[in-house]
């Protein structure tokens, strides 16, 4: 009898476990979890089968306690803006690595309920300070000498605010932020680049009167190779200041000289022919006058 009760108990437990497992299999667990971050606007993205279930996102800093993102509690979307939760204002304090936990739950469930019975999906670790991509910058080029220009770079703004101030990437990265400037002479394939520690740079030793083209990208050498450089900017070219003769190509110059020579030959030939005709006419007139006399 005892063995029969044991068998029934084990069977009931197995049945309950199978039912629970079957239910868990049909709950749309978050998958393909990844981070997308540009200029420190950081979005957590995932995919899931459409359903009536919702998602709550928690995050942990350097393996510490879990905090809930207040903007992503029982949401039906498959993304969560983590920008305000991950604020890397200063490297010494906010150079931190974060992990997110996406919890699946039935819509309308009491938020204080035990969520352990529902699926959890953990994100890969992410450090905005070291991994957020930097967008293309805007800049201006100003001639300061015949052979030098000044590059003035506008630090991109981020989505992070400190009190009422919207922070730039310079406010966050500080001395870690540098800029790579690539330039070349118009019509040339030889490119040169320099690195500036600030948002202004002077490029010297340029050929006077020549047109040069410039591009700029944020550069953070303290980062891993894949995240060191931001997106290249649009290209800006300076106007050249050549003399009219210098603007002509070699072929055009040779052609112009040839035409000039031909014109000179024609002028000289016409002049010679005119002189010859005048002499002949004068000779005939003199001959006629002698005959009459």
């Amino acid at each position: 009898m005892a063995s029969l009760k044991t068998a029934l108990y084990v069977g009931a437990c197995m049945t309950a476990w199978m039912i629970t497992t079957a239910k868990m299999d049909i709950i749309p667990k978050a998958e393909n979890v990844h981070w997308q971050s540009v200029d420190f606007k950081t979005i957590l993205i995932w995919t899931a089968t459409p359903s009536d279930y919702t998602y709550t996102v928690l995050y942990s800093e350097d393996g510490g306690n879990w905090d809930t993102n207040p903007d992503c509690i029982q949401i039906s979307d498959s993304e969560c803006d983590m920008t305000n939760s991950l604020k890397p204002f200063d490297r010494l304090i906010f150079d931190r690595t974060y992990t997110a936990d996406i919890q699946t739950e039935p819509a309308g469930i009491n938020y204080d309920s035990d969520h352990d019975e529902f699926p959890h999906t953990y994100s890969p670790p992410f450090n905005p300070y070291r991994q957020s991509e930097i967008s293309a910058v805007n800049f201006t080029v100003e001639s300061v000498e015949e052979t030098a220009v000044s590059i003035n770079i506008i630090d991109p703004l981020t989505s992070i605010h400190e009190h009422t101030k919207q922070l730039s990437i310079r406010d966050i990265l500080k001395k870690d932020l540098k800029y790579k400037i690539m330039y070349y002479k118009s019509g040339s394939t030889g490119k040169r680049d320099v690195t500036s520690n600030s948002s202004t740079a002077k490029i010297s030793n340029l050929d006077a009167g020549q047109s040069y083209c410039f591009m700029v990208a944020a550069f953070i050498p303290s980062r891993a190779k894949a995240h060191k450089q931001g997106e290249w900017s649009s290209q800006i070219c300076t106007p050249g200041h050549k003399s009219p003769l210098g603007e002509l190509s070699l072929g055009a110059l040779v052609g112009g000289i040839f035409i000039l020579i031909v014109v000179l030959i024609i002028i000289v030939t016409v002049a010679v022919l005119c002189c010859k005709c005048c002499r002949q006419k004068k000779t005939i007139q003199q001959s006629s006058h002698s005959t009459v006399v």
Side-chain angles (χ1 to χ4, degrees):
M1 191 69 173
S3 56
L4 178 60
K5 288 182 178 180
T6 301
L8 290 173
Y9 175 77
V10 171
C13 290
M14 289 294 293
T15 301
W17 177 82
M18 292 175 65
I19 293 173
T20 301
T21 302
K23 287 183 178 179
M24 292 290 286
D25 288 340
I26 63 173
I27 295 177
K29 183 178 180 180
E31 298 179 336
N32 304 316
V33 181
H34 62 280
W35 300 87
Q36 186 179 88
S37 182
V38 179
D39 297 337
F40 298 99
K41 182 176 179 63
T42 303
I43 310 295
L44 183 69
I45 301 174
W46 63 92
T47 59
T49 304
S51 70
D52 292 331
Y53 284 83
T54 58
Y55 305 94
T56 294
V57 178
L58 295 87
Y59 63 96
S60 172
E61 177 185 303
D62 287 340
N65 296 329
W66 290 96
D67 293 315
T68 303
N69 184 326
D71 297 322
C72 298
I73 297 175
Q74 297 183 350
I75 60 173
S76 57
D77 296 332
S78 57
E79 64 176 49
C80 172
D81 190 339
M82 303 291 291
T83 304
N84 291 327
S85 297
L86 321 180
K87 295 184 176 180
F89 292 138
D90 186 278
R91 179 177 178 179
L92 297 177
I93 302 174
F94 293 96
D95 181 12
R96 298 289 185 260
T97 299
Y98 298 88
T99 303
D101 174 14
I102 305 170
Q103 300 179 351
T104 305
E105 59 214 358
I109 188 175
N110 185 345
Y111 178 66
D112 295 327
S113 299
D114 184 5
H115 289 206
D116 289 340
E117 61 181 292
F118 301 110
H120 293 242
T121 304
Y122 295 94
S123 73
F126 184 76
N127 185 326
Y129 191 92
R130 297 186 176 276
Q131 293 176 266
S132 186
E133 301 299 331
I134 306 300
S135 62
V137 303
N138 293 316
F139 69 102
T140 59
V141 181
E142 180 183 357
S143 295
V144 292
E145 298 171 12
E146 267 194 30
T147 60
V149 298
S150 175
I151 306 294
N152 301 293
I153 304 162
I154 302 171
D155 299 322
L157 293 174
T158 72
S159 296
I160 297 175
H161 291 75
E162 188 176 46
H163 306 298
T164 59
K165 178 185 178 182
Q166 184 176 7
L167 302 185
S168 70
I169 62 171
R170 172 71 65 187
D171 294 324
I172 294 174
L173 294 169
K174 298 183 179 176
K175 291 184 178 180
D176 275 351
L177 175 63
K178 305 180 188 301
Y179 284 105
K180 186 172 287 188
I181 303 168
M182 181 175 65
Y183 65 98
Y184 63 93
K185 189 189 299 184
S186 296
S188 171
T189 57
K191 296 182 178 180
R192 288 174 272 180
D193 64 74
V194 296
T195 300
S196 173
N197 293 328
S198 68
S199 301
T200 59
K202 183 179 179 180
I203 309 297
S204 305
N205 300 320
L206 305 177
D207 293 339
Q210 296 292 319
S211 171
Y212 282 84
C213 296
F214 299 85
M215 295 175 68
V216 179
F219 184 60
I220 307 103
S222 61
R223 288 183 170 190
K225 184 177 181 180
H227 303 287
K228 280 182 183 290
Q229 186 171 304
E231 183 181 349
W232 281 110
S233 68
S234 299
Q235 180 175 269
I236 294 180
C237 298
T238 61
H241 300 286
K242 302 177 182 178
S243 66
L245 186 60
E247 292 178 352
L248 295 174
S249 65
L250 180 60
L253 187 61
V254 172
I257 293 173
F258 175 77
I259 292 172
L260 181 60
I261 292 173
V262 170
V263 171
L264 289 174
I265 290 173
I266 292 173
I267 292 173
V268 171
T269 302
V270 170
V272 170
L273 290 175
C274 287
C275 290
K276 188 175 180 180
C277 287
C278 287
R279 288 195 192 100
Q280 288 178 350
K281 185 176 181 180
K282 187 175 181 181
T283 302
I284 294 172
Q285 289 176 347
Q286 289 175 352
S287 299
S288 299
H289 181 72
S290 300
T291 304
V292 170
V293 174

